[in-house]
Amino acid sequence: GEDVEQSLFLSVREGDSSVINCTYTDSSSTYLYWYKQEPGAGLQLLTYIFSNMDMKQDQRLTVLLNKKDKHLSLRIADTQTGDSAIYFCAEISSYSGAGSYQLTFGKGTKLSVIP
Amino acid sequence: DTAVSQTPKYLVTQMGNDKSIKCEQNLGHDTMYWYKQDSKKFLKIMFSYNNKELIINETVPNRFSPKSPDKAHLNLHINSLELGDSAVYFCASSQDLTSGSPFTDTQYFGPGTRLTVL
């Protein structure tokens, strides 16, 4: 079945760049997502990338997709203490447009930003 | 004004009971979702509804059933509760699931309902 893997923890110093990595197994993935969950809160969709793209940039966020290796990364430039959260990678596959698809989340990477 | 609300916030119950968690959104969104997050923060989407149609049903036990009386509500019914059902359940909504890419519309999450099964 589909599987999404992430490392569980990452620590960076404030002002440095953070890179959160994710690997997935389903080659039919159409969209890949990054969600952020702050302590005690629900999820917030940060960004997404379509599978025919290699890179997407949105302000401090850069998403890189290596479809051959099934590897997705999220780079946060100039990491701030407010970026401390759990980041979930997710993929959607088998999208038919007719309401038949699966959304699979990774286990989440806890980012700790050291002042 | 609360955008997505859930009740109750905390629910403690015995194994074998049947319980419901309610969710309401006042954003006029077309799509609502239920997510389960366990104690290790593992997150799983359970259901989503668009215009009263179930459009994703992950492999969750059929003891779980979503009920949508209208576009603004998506309630979660759980029968014969088990210890493993203990988790935080999040409700969410988004504008429109079908107008473009799936799950690319911003989702607005409720505060979560912490379910503890004893």
Side-chain angles (χ1 to χ4, degrees):
Chain A
E2 297 80 13
D3 198 14
V4 178
E5 298 284 341
Q6 301 177 238
S7 52
L8 294 181
F9 301 99
L10 177 66
S11 271
V12 297
R13 292 207 173 273
E14 191 173 14
D16 288 350
S17 291
S18 308
V19 179
I20 304 171
N21 295 303
C22 170
T23 57
Y24 59 98
T25 58
D26 190 346
S27 57
S28 69
S29 292
T30 52
Y31 291 89
L32 295 122
Y33 309 84
W34 283 106
Y35 287 82
K36 176 183 180 183
Q37 184 181 31
E38 294 183 7
L43 290 171
Q44 172 193 356
L45 178 65
L46 280 180
T47 187
Y48 65 92
I49 189 167
F50 188 46
S51 58
N52 69 354
M53 297 168 64
D54 297 324
M55 186 183 87
K56 181 177 179 181
Q57 186 146 8
D58 184 3
Q59 298 183 334
R60 292 191 297 123
L61 305 178
T62 304
V63 178
L64 294 177
L65 175 61
N66 181 330
K67 198 172 178 183
K68 175 175 168 288
D69 295 338
K70 299 191 184 68
H71 182 266
L72 181 74
S73 67
L74 174 70
R75 179 177 181 270
I76 306 173
D78 187 24
T79 312
Q80 303 297 307
T81 53
D83 296 324
S84 293
I86 300 175
Y87 291 81
F88 291 90
C89 170
E91 64 163 353
I92 198 160
S93 56
S94 308
Y95 179 59
S96 69
S100 172
Y101 38 78
Q102 292 229 106
L103 179 65
T104 305
F105 285 85
K107 293 182 171 61
T109 299
K110 184 173 182 179
L111 174 65
S112 300
V113 181
I114 305 163
Chain B
D1 288 341
T2 304
V4 181
S5 59
Q6 296 178 225
T7 53
K9 190 168 174 139
Y10 299 96
L11 181 56
V12 181
T13 188
Q14 301 278 352
M15 271 176 57
N17 285 349
D18 302 336
K19 290 292 178 186
S20 294
I21 305 172
K22 294 185 177 180
C23 178
E24 177 181 3
Q25 54 96 2
N26 62 8
L27 299 166
H29 286 168
D30 288 330
T31 306
M32 296 182 71
Y33 314 80
W34 276 105
Y35 291 83
K36 177 183 178 182
Q37 186 175 43
D38 65 22
S39 58
K40 295 181 182 176
K41 302 294 187 184
F42 298 160
L43 191 70
K44 179 178 179 179
I45 188 166
M46 302 178 76
F47 304 104
S48 68
Y49 255 75
N50 181 302
N51 294 325
K52 292 195 172 185
E53 278 189 75
L54 180 66
I55 55 174
I56 294 179
N57 186 352
E58 292 284 327
T59 54
V60 299
N62 57 14
R63 297 182 295 105
F64 292 80
S65 57
K67 299 274 192 267
S68 181
D70 54 57
K71 200 172 86 164
H73 296 85
L74 183 66
N75 303 325
L76 182 65
H77 295 270
I78 315 170
N79 294 326
S80 302
L81 277 156
E82 300 178 358
L83 293 177
D85 298 332
S86 295
V88 180
Y89 292 83
F90 287 101
C91 175
S93 73
S94 67
Q95 178 65 39
D96 187 351
L97 188 60
T98 60
S99 66
S101 317
F103 288 90
T104 54
D105 282 338
T106 299
Q107 291 182 34
Y108 294 81
F109 281 77
T113 295
R114 182 173 292 278
L115 171 64
T116 303
V117 182
L118 304 175

